[in-house]
Amino acid sequence: MEDREDRIENIIANARIFGSLSSKDIKALAGMGEKRRWHKGQHIISEGDEGDALYLMLSGKIKVVLYGEEGREIVLSIMKEGDIFGEMALFDGEPRSANVEAVEDTECFIIQGSTLLEYIKVHPAVALNFLSHLSRRLREADRKIGGLALLDVCGRIAHTFLDIAKKASGGAQEKKVVSIERLTHEEIAAMIGSSREVVSRALKKMTQEGYVKIEKERFILHI
């Protein structure tokens, strides 16, 4: 059975930003951080905190979120095993730009920023991977802003489902039918800047018109 250290090394190896490293370098990197757990509902990062570490998800599920007036949430991203967060503040020295909350019990591998930056100096391929990663993040943000500004609620839901499917597949999503893990109406509303009631009506319409099929644990979107 795979032990915990081997599991951390495997998750590091499968993360895009570290995929160019040798097994020896990955093993060394695995010894530079520490594991930490959070229970469902706990805050991992708060907006405005000092950005001093990179987080690699080992298990669980988190949401990156902004809080508006009267507690309203805007969910910027949902992440799972193998995803990283907290990387932006390492490079620009600015405080954290959003909150990160555990949606499920979550465990992360944490590497301190100063340690990681020193590591990057002797592994320049990782720096190029980070540039590629940050470019993808910027493109995703551009698409999301465009979708929120230009699409109606049904369009924003479809746009969000496609983004989730693309992220899960690790690249371009060209299939005519895509499947994603089922989300609550509240989660969808927070991701598209709407309300639960409006999302419920839109999903009902999309289901009746054959664009969405709702299963017990999945959403099926027909493009």
Side-chain angles (χ1 to χ4, degrees), residues 30-67:
M32 296 179 184
E34 60 178 357
K35 299 184 294 292
R36 185 175 172 187
R37 293 184 61 85
W38 292 265
H39 294 299
K40 177 181 178 179
Q42 282 190 299
H43 272 73
I44 300 172
I45 288 175
S46 294
E47 184 178 2
D49 284 352
E50 180 182 353
D52 59 355
L54 175 79
Y55 296 72
L56 172 65
M57 294 193 62
L58 301 177
S59 64
K61 181 179 178 181
I62 63 98
K63 62 181 177 180
V64 183
V65 60
L66 296 174
Y67 299 118

Side-chain angles (χ1 to χ4, degrees), residues 10-11 41 55-56 77 90 94 107 109 123 166 175 208:
N10 286 336
I11 292 175
Y55 296 72
L56 172 65
S77 183
L90 298 181
E94 296 293 321
E107 184 175 38
F109 180 70
H123 297 87
K166 181 183 290 186
K175 297 179 180 178
Q208 291 172 339

Side-chain angles (χ1 to χ4, degrees), residues 202-215:
L203 279 173
K204 182 178 180 180
K205 178 182 178 182
M206 295 172 77
T207 301
Q208 291 172 339
E209 294 179 354
Y211 293 108
V212 171
K213 180 180 179 182
I214 301 176
E215 299 184 345

Side-chain angles (χ1 to χ4, degrees), residues 75-78 143-144 147-148 151-167 178 180 183 187-193 206 221:
V75 176
L76 304 179
S77 183
I78 293 177
R143 286 196 298 269
K144 184 161 189 173
L148 291 174
L151 300 174
D152 63 12
V153 175
C154 291
R156 280 145 59 188
I157 291 173
H159 190 271
T160 298
F161 286 5
L162 286 171
D163 278 349
I164 293 172
K166 181 183 290 186
K167 182 178 179 182
V178 297
I180 67 167
L183 305 169
E187 287 173 328
I188 298 170
M191 295 176 78
I192 68 169
M206 295 172 77
L221 175 66

